[in-house]
Amino acid sequence: MRALVVYCHPVPESFCAAIRDTAVDVLKARGWEVRLLDLYAEKFDPVMGCDERRSYNDQAPQDPALKPHFELLNWAEAILFVYPTWWYGLPAMLKGWLDRVWATDVAFKLPAGKGRIKSLMTHVTKVGVITTCGAPTWWSVVVGQPGRKTLLRGMRALCATRCRTFFLAHYLMDASTPQTRAAFLAKVRGKLERF
């Protein structure tokens, strides 16, 4: 299995970094081929410019910096997102990556005229999300969990028909303790060993 781990956090020593490292270690121990995409470390530009937006419906973005990202999407059979939930959703850097990389002629083809889009991501059979969240579980559910829905409904819809998904969140992150963080990393290990 070829797994792309998409990691998005600006602080190198964050708990999300520990989650990332745990995830990569478990997947490699299972014999998976893993590629890590660290959006902040590579200084990914999440901003879609005017010309890119004007041609968005007609062709893949022409920015040469995006080509390696397109290649990673084409390579991956599984995608694991690791990020902090901020204001109930994705960090701007990750949202910008989706905007610019999951693009026309990369993740999908638009029909001429009316009709349904055609997925170009049917080779992806697994999508996972591991996140941290300052809010409690109940409040995140009340708000609607927009980050979860973006990835596991919106983006997953472009993947294989029977694509398997999972979502893990360490809620109340701002009040976490070494014990809650260790327990969560154990949960991450267990989930990825079965994924």
Side-chain angles (χ1 to χ4, degrees), residues 6 11 39 55 102 126 128 136 186:
V6 181
V11 180
L39 298 175
S55 64
W102 289 60
K126 298 175 188 282

Side-chain angles (χ1 to χ4, degrees), residues 4 70 72-77 79 97 101-103 106-109 118-127 155-161 163:
L4 173 62
F70 300 156
L72 284 171
L73 273 191
N74 189 49
W75 169 86
E77 296 172 306
I79 302 175
W97 184 78
V101 175
W102 289 60
V106 178
F108 60 88
K109 280 197 170 294
K118 178 186 176 193
S119 171
L120 300 177
M121 298 292 293
T122 56
H123 56 280
V124 175
T125 60
K126 298 175 188 282
V127 176
M155 309 320 283
R156 184 251 176 256
L158 291 173
C159 299
T161 302
C163 180

Side-chain angles (χ1 to χ4, degrees), residues 50-116:
C50 179
D51 291 338
E52 188 174 321
R53 180 59 203 141
R54 283 185 174 143
S55 64
Y56 186 85
N57 291 349
D58 302 322
Q59 65 184 9
Q62 301 302 299
D63 183 346
L66 297 178
K67 188 172 186 239
H69 296 262
F70 300 156
E71 291 168 354
L72 284 171
L73 273 191
N74 189 49
W75 169 86
E77 296 172 306
I79 302 175
L80 178 64
F81 295 93
V82 179
Y83 63 91
T85 295
W86 290 337
W87 286 108
Y88 315 107
L90 308 174
M93 177 80 76
L94 181 54
K95 178 60 170 69
W97 184 78
L98 296 174
D99 290 343
R100 298 193 71 208
V101 175
W102 289 60
T104 306
D105 294 337
V106 178
F108 60 88
K109 280 197 170 294
L110 289 172
K114 293 182 180 178
R116 299 175 73 163

Side-chain angles (χ1 to χ4, degrees), residues 27-59:
L27 295 177
K28 284 183 175 180
R30 291 186 63 192
W32 289 22
E33 186 179 350
V34 179
R35 294 188 184 169
L36 174 64
L37 177 58
D38 184 335
L39 298 175
Y40 277 95
E42 78 160 52
K43 296 179 175 44
F44 179 78
D45 181 2
V47 178
M48 182 184 294
C50 179
D51 291 338
E52 188 174 321
R53 180 59 203 141
R54 283 185 174 143
S55 64
Y56 186 85
N57 291 349
D58 302 322
Q59 65 184 9

Side-chain angles (χ1 to χ4, degrees), residues 88 133 135-146 148-149 167 171:
Y88 315 107
C133 186
T137 307
W138 70 270
W139 183 248
S140 297
V141 171
V142 167
V143 170
Q145 297 180 310
R148 179 180 187 163
K149 288 179 180 174
F167 179 86
Y171 293 101

